[in-house]
Amino acid sequence: MKVISLFTGVGGLDFGFEAAGYETAVALEIDGACCRTLRANRPWTVIEDDIHDVTTVDLLAKAGLSVAEADVLIGGPPCQPFSKSGYWATGDSKRLKDERADTLSAYLRVLEEAQPKAFLLENVYGLAYRGKDEGLNRILKGIEAINRRTGLNYKPRWQVLNAASYGVPQLRERVIIIASRDGTEFEFPKAGFGPPEALEPGQQPYRTTWDALGDLPAQPNEPDLEMGGKWADLLPSIPEGQNYLWHTRRGGGLPLFGWRTRYWNFLLKLAKDRPSWTIQAQPGSATGPFHWTSRKLSSRELARLQTFPEGLTFPVSRNEVQRLAGNAVPSLLAEVLAREIAVQLLDRGPYAAPPKLLPAPRKRRPGPEPVIPVSRPYLALIDDHADHPGTGLGRGAQQRTTRAA
């Protein structure tokens, strides 16, 4: 089964489709670090260029495909205009007015001109925020227009999926849109995994960070894993599975901060008995999740939490690996969806074996790591700190209101 891959990144979607029996016929990606990594690991045809400068005719020629011959078009247009981080930093984002949102139109252009049997489009769940879903509507209306112009019958189905619900050892929500050229409506697979305390019939417990990382050394032989910055010596005083909220009046530590006065991943530490939180692409020095041993995650650990296939080579720095992994789709989620597309939309037989990229559950999970007392320099922060006053009432929101007035 042949795939055309747009906005390929480091290959998160492609690795999942590969595990499900597909072949990436051509991959289009503008980022040089991504392209070096793709070429170091797979023999795929990689076009390193801006999608706006590459015609669909060129794409098909490089793939060795004709119009309507590709089985699936996949891709995740860059998501910055719709990301939650954009709201946090500025109170909102320009969304469709942001020139980076034009990548949605580029994806739709290739869809119309290549006419694959099916397509999958991925994006951050901010694309579908209620009241802020103009990006999603732009895609759905664009597909309607394609159908009118071409006589095709794409009927898109979309859903917000949590990767952990499909066996990925990471809590990561993404909007997924899937459609078939002949009008067959895709049915999203049911969540096969859930929190141990609230399992539904037929579900397994979430795969955990220990399931993903338990066989790797606690202290990898990799440079640049030591946490830096002013908060480095505070992290060991926070228990695994906790963040800075541990050191508030409502936590179990010292009152060093006000409740919810920092972003959620500030001093956030993994816990062995639960999935990871979302891997960040561009973290600050105190932005987690960090390893339970109070260090940054290694390149191999980042790849494991994203369920990339084993044995990948990363010809880039560790910080670049984090950026590439943080922008990628977990490959296991892509594999699960690729298998469903094959069965439901491409008339392929059912798969007999479990997904290849699903981590096996590990037994004999050790207990939590010990914590150390807060070191002396941070004791000066002890105070009766006020809690965050609520949405739209914080200092940043008040400053924006003052400037607007």
Side-chain angles (χ1 to χ4, degrees):
M1 294 175 286
K2 303 294 185 181
V3 171
I4 295 174
S5 175
L6 307 180
F7 313 104
T8 306
V10 74
L13 278 174
D14 298 71
F15 294 141
F17 273 77
E18 175 189 63
Y22 296 72
E23 177 187 352
T24 295
V26 65
L28 175 60
E29 173 55 50
I30 192 174
D31 186 278
C34 289
C35 292
R36 289 196 301 276
T37 304
L38 290 170
R39 292 175 180 130
N41 289 285
R42 294 294 186 269
W44 302 332
T45 298
V46 178
I47 301 176
E48 186 173 346
D49 207 340
D50 187 326
I51 190 171
H52 299 96
D53 297 329
V54 178
T55 68
T56 305
V57 170
D58 289 339
L59 267 175
L60 292 172
K62 292 284 188 180
L65 297 171
S66 302
V67 173
E69 191 176 0
D71 289 287
V72 189
L73 173 70
I74 65 174
C79 57
Q80 293 94 332
F82 309 100
S83 70
K84 185 177 181 181
S85 298
Y87 303 144
W88 176 264
T90 66
D92 205 336
S93 68
K94 295 186 292 183
R95 301 175 69 78
L96 284 183
K97 295 179 182 178
D98 190 318
E99 62 183 11
R100 294 171 297 181
D102 193 44
T103 54
L104 299 177
S105 299
Y107 183 101
L108 293 174
R109 183 256 299 175
V110 176
L111 175 65
E112 179 170 4
E113 295 173 352
Q115 300 182 11
K117 297 172 187 174
F119 76 82
L120 181 151
L121 189 153
E122 170 273 338
N123 219 291
V124 294
Y125 71 94
L127 188 79
Y129 280 159
R130 182 174 297 178
K132 296 177 180 288
D133 56 359
E134 62 269 31
L136 177 61
N137 290 330
R138 165 73 182 87
I139 295 168
L140 299 180
K141 291 179 180 177
I143 294 168
E144 289 179 3
I146 289 172
N147 288 337
R148 288 195 301 270
R149 289 192 294 265
T150 62
L152 301 177
N153 194 26
Y154 292 111
K155 292 184 178 179
R157 299 289 299 275
W158 69 272
Q159 194 166 314
V160 177
L161 302 182
N162 187 337
S165 298
Y166 298 90
V168 176
Q170 182 186 169
L171 299 165
R172 191 180 189 95
E173 291 186 307
R174 285 295 183 268
V175 172
I176 304 292
I177 306 172
I178 296 175
S180 171
R181 186 177 65 199
D182 66 5
T184 302
E185 295 191 15
F186 182 78
E187 294 293 332
F188 282 92
K190 294 181 179 180
F193 299 79
E197 66 278 8
L199 288 177
E200 297 181 3
Q203 284 188 334
Q204 300 180 45
Y206 282 150
R207 291 295 195 260
T208 67
T209 58
W210 182 252
D211 294 331
L213 310 180
D215 63 325
L216 300 181
Q219 298 300 326
N221 183 22
E222 182 175 339
D224 303 324
L225 296 186
E226 184 176 344
M227 179 184 173
K230 64 183 291 187
W231 305 109
D233 293 332
L234 184 60
L235 187 64
S237 72
I238 295 176
E240 62 179 68
Q242 302 284 344
N243 62 1
Y244 80 97
L245 293 174
W246 176 255
H247 286 308
T248 66
R249 288 183 300 173
R250 304 190 196 186
L254 299 177
L256 306 182
F257 305 100
W259 181 260
R260 292 187 174 176
T261 55
R262 300 272 181 157
Y263 201 43
W264 67 276
N265 50 23
F266 178 59
L267 300 177
L268 178 65
K269 191 180 290 187
L270 296 179
K272 301 185 193 79
D273 63 350
R274 66 186 80 168
S276 169
W277 287 271
T278 302
I279 301 300
Q280 303 297 306
Q282 295 178 319
S285 61
T287 302
F290 294 96
H291 194 268
W292 52 74
T293 58
S294 300
R295 59 165 173 79
K296 298 176 185 178
L297 294 165
S298 71
S299 298
R300 193 175 183 189
E301 288 164 345
L302 290 166
R304 285 277 188 93
L305 294 175
Q306 284 285 53
T307 57
F308 293 166
E310 284 291 296
L312 296 183
T313 298
F314 295 99
V316 295
S317 69
R318 184 263 166 210
N319 288 341
E320 280 286 87
V321 174
Q322 170 126 18
R323 180 177 69 84
L324 303 189
N327 283 325
V329 179
S331 295
L332 172 58
L333 177 60
E335 181 185 3
V336 170
L337 295 171
R339 288 158 65 111
E340 290 294 328
I341 290 171
V343 172
Q344 295 186 37
L345 307 183
L346 301 179
D347 296 323
R348 300 294 175 125
Y351 291 78
K356 293 181 180 179
L357 300 178
L358 176 65
R362 296 184 189 277
K363 299 180 180 179
R364 301 178 183 175
R365 182 176 61 233
E369 300 296 310
V371 296
I372 66 172
V374 174
S375 56
R376 185 180 299 275
Y378 301 106
L379 298 180
L381 296 175
I382 295 175
D383 200 353
D384 185 21
H385 295 281
D387 296 346
H388 191 279
T391 303
L393 300 176
R395 182 173 58 186
Q398 292 173 356
Q399 290 173 345
R400 287 191 297 274
T401 301
T402 299
R403 289 196 297 268

